[in-house]
Amino acid sequence: VLKDAKLEVDVSTTWEQYAGALQGDVRVSSVTPMNLKLALAGLQRKAEQRDREQRRQDEKKSSKRAAAFRELLKDSKIAEDAKWADVREALSGQAAFQEIASEAEREHLFAEWQKSARGAKESDSEDDRRDKKHR
């Protein structure tokens, strides 16, 4: 019935839209308004579940793309004090670079990587000092 009315129910579909789409269809003329409202609520719950699942899938894909970009930065032997413009030029042809949709996200991931790389280097230096001290 909804396909015939060309109505796709989502979480924002109103009762008025739903009832208007079904109005005049003989197949639902014997269904009570309460049952139609229950049906709408059920369809909205299904739409919400689809939306949630889609967001989860999108987040998962985004996380994988970010991990691939971080791995690209790590494998490229980039100095932790490198400038974004230089890194961008060097990596722009790589698939992991291109799969990150926005320039702002690439820069953000690069800044996080730099912070992590600097922290790891400082930690290594601290370990070296402790090792020398204990000899």
Side-chain angles (χ1 to χ4, degrees):
V1 174
L2 293 174
K3 285 182 183 177
D4 292 343
K6 294 185 173 109
L7 177 70
E8 187 173 324
V9 174
D10 62 25
V11 293
S12 64
T13 302
T14 65
W15 165 249
E16 289 76 20
Q17 292 169 320
Y18 182 72
L22 298 176
Q23 190 174 23
D25 192 308
V26 295
R27 294 174 287 182
V28 295
S29 62
S30 63
V31 180
T32 66
M34 179 54 87
N35 283 336
L36 288 175
K37 286 181 181 182
L38 290 172
L40 173 60
L43 292 169
Q44 287 173 322
R45 276 193 302 278
K46 282 185 179 182
E48 188 175 348
Q49 289 172 342
R50 280 192 309 270
D51 289 351
R52 244 192 328 265
E53 179 62 23
Q54 185 62 48
R55 280 192 304 274
R56 191 180 71 73
Q57 291 295 327
D58 291 347
E59 288 171 6
K60 193 174 182 180
K61 288 176 185 176
S62 178
S63 179
K64 283 183 179 183
R65 287 190 294 264
F69 185 71
R70 286 188 201 99
E71 193 66 27
L72 174 64
L73 290 167
K74 183 178 129 191
D75 292 347
S76 297
K77 308 283 188 223
I78 296 169
E80 69 263 3
D81 60 347
K83 302 289 181 220
W84 170 243
D86 299 330
V87 171
R88 185 189 194 298
E89 187 176 315
L91 301 180
S92 63
Q94 301 293 320
F97 178 93
Q98 294 169 355
E99 287 179 3
I100 302 296
S102 75
E103 187 69 12
E105 180 66 12
R106 288 184 197 117
E107 285 187 65
H108 175 74
L109 291 169
F110 174 68
E112 282 182 345
W113 174 83
Q114 273 187 318
K115 187 184 281 187
S116 171
R118 287 178 184 145
K121 190 172 185 177
E122 288 173 10
S123 177
D124 288 347
S125 297
E126 210 174 280
D127 290 346
D128 290 345
R129 283 191 299 250
R130 271 192 246 132
D131 288 348
K132 286 179 183 177
K133 189 176 183 179
H134 291 292
R135 285 183 190 171

